[in-house]
Amino acid sequence: MKLAILGAGESGVGAALLAKAKGLDVFVSDMGQIKEVYKAKLATAAIPYEEGTHTFERILEANEIVKSPGIPEKAAIMQEAIKRGIPVISEIEFAGRYTDAKFICITGTNGKTTTTLLTYHLLKSAGINVGLAGNIGESLAEKVIDNKHAYYVVELSSFQLDNMYQFKAHIGVLLNITPDHLDRYGYDLNKYAASKMRIAQNMSGADYFIYNNDDDIIRNAFDSASFGGTTVPFSLQAKEGAKVLCEGTHVKVNVRFFEGDIDASRSALIGKHNQYNTMAAVAVAKLMGVEDSQIEKGLETFENAEHRLQVITVSREVTYINDSKATNVEAVYYALEGIKQPIIWIAGGVDKGNDYSVLQELAKEKVKVLVCLGKDNDKLKEAFGRIVPVVVETISMEYAVRMGKLLSTPGDVVLLSPACASFDLFNNYEHRGQRFKEAVEKIVLKK
């Protein structure tokens, strides 16, 4: 069997290595430049590849194509493959063919990385033989080569879900659906929602679908009448039928054979959105048979990924928080809503058509200083200039942190939560968050 792989990033190279290990005739093609680390992997495995072009003749002689998530269906090579009837699948679909492990799959517009990492941590710390893979940056296909795990926690984007057909999750988690990536879905929210709902495809009675019962888009998109698995809705609002609830600091699970009352008060995760993330992860842990006390210990020891409401330090009773991953208004809303202390808010960058009106009441209530960090701050100043007592602007991260230190008083929080893309001043949100951390260490901690 001939297999062509489009895209030589983490997922594409992982699929290529798995294909080679299974004796398939595999060829890798990437329109861009392939990173050296991936070239080395392909060369070591003696897998032929090309970069900077797609050779149509060679690709289209394949019996099947594995497509990396970032390649849109409208790409010329994809259109030609569709015209010729060549099956196109995702790396996740491909990997699923070569393992008997069970999959715990997590998706949602926001919060999926935090929930994936928390779920993995709760299961692993309880002694379950579990691996971590997917959109989080680790190839499931490459892990399946050694196939060391009985379970995999897999973060899935809508792009990965689009090309999954026979793949089935044992436990699927859908956190939320809000407008995102609509350019890939004809600017139709219903099509994007349908993509997310594929997390629940092919499920049978022994499988579980954990979903946010407070999310109207999910409830409207979910066809419960034809669903073959067991539903586990979770809710902060005590919606009717919810099987997982958050009451104060306790997460209560009431699924047949799996019941629990977990004290989450020692978790470092803050904000309402993290209550949803925690409910979902706790529900998975209970369905996997983890004891309440083990879950509580796991919540206490969990450390989230960088740049997501990450506490950098507390100095002179002022807390410095890196939330550089908050590149849209909704993510910033969660941050402002979750922090109870007065805030010096560092925001700005490349505006993505933001509607800041949804943040104005929170800003009026909680933000004492707004530091605009960007080349064009007019929209931020217009939205908050009459609401926040002090507004300053800069193109220097060090200056932004100096202002935070200078204008803060004990009990305050200096929060980097930009609401914007980073590309005017930084390479990406990780670079922006790292620069914030370095500035805090230099200016605040004098390192």
Side-chain angles (χ1 to χ4, degrees):
M1 175 180 168
K2 289 187 175 181
L3 186 74
I5 294 176
L6 300 182
E10 179 70 17
S11 67
V13 171
L17 294 172
L18 176 60
K20 182 74 173 183
K22 299 302 177 182
L24 304 183
D25 181 356
V26 59
F27 174 66
V28 178
S29 177
D30 195 311
M31 276 294 289
Q33 297 302 304
I34 303 173
K35 291 181 179 179
E36 291 302 322
V37 63
Y38 295 131
K39 284 184 184 179
K41 284 188 174 186
L42 293 171
T44 300
I47 296 171
Y49 67 88
E50 65 179 358
E51 60 181 338
T53 188
H54 285 322
T55 303
F56 277 42
E57 296 80 7
R58 188 163 187 186
I59 294 168
L60 296 172
E61 68 181 9
N63 305 105
E64 192 169 46
I65 293 172
V66 175
K67 180 183 79 69
S68 292
I71 300 173
E73 193 172 281
K74 64 184 179 183
I77 186 65
M78 285 294 299
Q79 288 297 304
E80 191 61 32
I82 292 167
K83 192 164 96 174
R84 298 193 186 195
I86 301 172
V88 178
I89 62 171
S90 72
E91 173 234 350
I92 304 295
E93 174 83 4
F94 182 64
R97 298 173 179 174
Y98 295 100
T99 178
D100 292 326
K102 291 186 176 181
F103 300 108
I104 298 153
C105 298
I106 297 165
T107 196
T109 306
N110 292 297
K112 53 186 176 290
T113 296
T114 296
T115 306
T116 299
L117 290 173
L118 178 57
T119 301
Y120 172 72
H121 177 74
L122 294 180
L123 300 183
K124 185 174 174 58
S125 60
I128 293 171
N129 179 17
V130 61
L132 178 68
N135 193 57
I136 203 154
E138 299 192 37
S139 167
L140 177 63
E142 188 168 357
K143 289 180 181 292
V144 162
I145 297 170
D146 294 330
N147 208 22
K148 295 178 180 177
H149 303 292
Y151 298 90
Y152 289 94
V153 179
V154 185
E155 179 185 329
L156 293 175
S157 69
S158 58
F159 301 159
Q160 289 169 311
L161 287 160
D162 285 337
N163 292 102
M164 288 166 44
Y165 305 100
Q166 302 304 315
F167 183 92
K168 182 188 81 165
H170 171 50
I171 300 175
V173 177
L174 179 52
L175 297 165
N176 46 62
I177 300 176
T178 59
D180 199 15
H181 304 301
L182 294 187
D183 56 321
R184 284 277 288 261
Y185 297 96
Y187 297 94
D188 186 338
L189 181 59
N190 291 327
K191 290 181 180 177
Y192 174 62
S195 174
K196 288 295 190 188
M197 292 307 306
R198 293 171 73 91
I199 195 80
Q201 69 183 7
N202 303 322
M203 284 187 170
S204 60
D207 304 313
Y208 299 91
F209 178 41
I210 301 169
Y211 67 93
N212 185 343
N213 202 38
D214 297 341
D215 190 305
D216 291 338
I217 297 175
I218 292 176
R219 288 191 286 109
N220 290 334
F222 179 40
D223 182 7
S224 58
S226 62
F227 178 64
T230 300
T231 58
V232 184
F234 60 91
S235 172
L236 267 181
Q237 302 170 12
K239 285 278 180 71
E240 184 178 352
K243 296 178 182 177
V244 184
L245 293 168
C246 192
E247 298 179 359
T249 61
H250 283 247
V251 176
K252 297 187 176 181
V253 181
N254 185 19
V255 181
R256 189 181 179 192
F257 306 124
F258 304 100
E259 298 180 348
D261 184 345
I262 292 89
D263 181 2
S265 62
R266 291 186 294 278
S267 169
L269 296 175
I270 62 174
K272 185 164 71 175
H273 67 302
N274 276 323
Q275 289 180 294
Y276 283 112
N277 297 340
T278 300
M279 280 192 287
V282 167
V284 172
K286 288 307 301 180
L287 294 174
M288 292 289 290
V290 182
E291 297 291 332
D292 292 6
S293 59
Q294 291 176 300
I295 296 174
E296 289 172 356
K297 185 176 179 181
L299 291 173
E300 186 176 359
T301 57
F302 174 66
E303 294 182 6
N304 200 3
E306 287 192 310
H307 317 298
R308 294 165 174 83
L309 285 172
Q310 176 192 17
V311 176
I312 301 299
T313 192
V314 179
S315 176
R316 297 185 178 181
E317 299 181 51
V318 176
T319 304
Y320 293 80
I321 295 179
N322 169 21
D323 193 35
S324 184
K325 182 64 168 65
T327 59
N328 57 49
V329 166
E330 184 176 25
V332 175
Y333 182 93
Y334 290 144
L336 296 180
E337 182 270 337
I339 295 170
K340 305 308 179 187
Q341 306 98 307
I343 298 169
I344 289 88
W345 175 29
I346 303 171
V350 179
D351 184 275
K352 299 190 289 187
N354 290 343
D355 177 7
Y356 291 114
S357 63
V358 297
L359 300 177
Q360 287 175 331
E361 281 302 312
L362 278 172
K364 185 176 181 180
E365 175 190 348
K366 297 187 174 187
V367 177
K368 57 189 284 186
V369 178
L370 170 60
V371 181
C372 301
L373 176 62
K375 290 183 177 179
D376 182 359
N377 301 309
D378 288 348
K379 193 170 176 182
L380 272 173
K381 291 189 293 182
E382 182 180 347
F384 300 103
R386 296 183 183 87
I387 294 172
V388 176
V390 178
V391 177
V392 298
E393 57 181 324
T394 182
I395 58 170
S396 165
M397 181 64 82
E398 288 196 359
Y399 182 85
V401 171
R402 282 188 198 283
M403 287 297 98
K405 180 183 178 184
L406 178 66
L407 299 173
S408 61
T409 56
D412 289 352
V413 169
V414 177
L415 170 70
L416 171 66
S417 192
C420 298
S422 58
F423 305 122
D424 59 339
L425 297 174
F426 308 97
N427 298 335
N428 47 45
Y429 77 83
E430 293 100 335
H431 181 219
R432 177 171 57 194
Q434 184 60 32
R435 288 290 303 278
F436 176 71
K437 180 181 178 182
E438 290 167 357
V440 170
E441 290 176 345
K442 177 182 176 181
I443 295 162
V444 178
L445 301 179
K446 307 292 186 184
K447 287 188 177 180

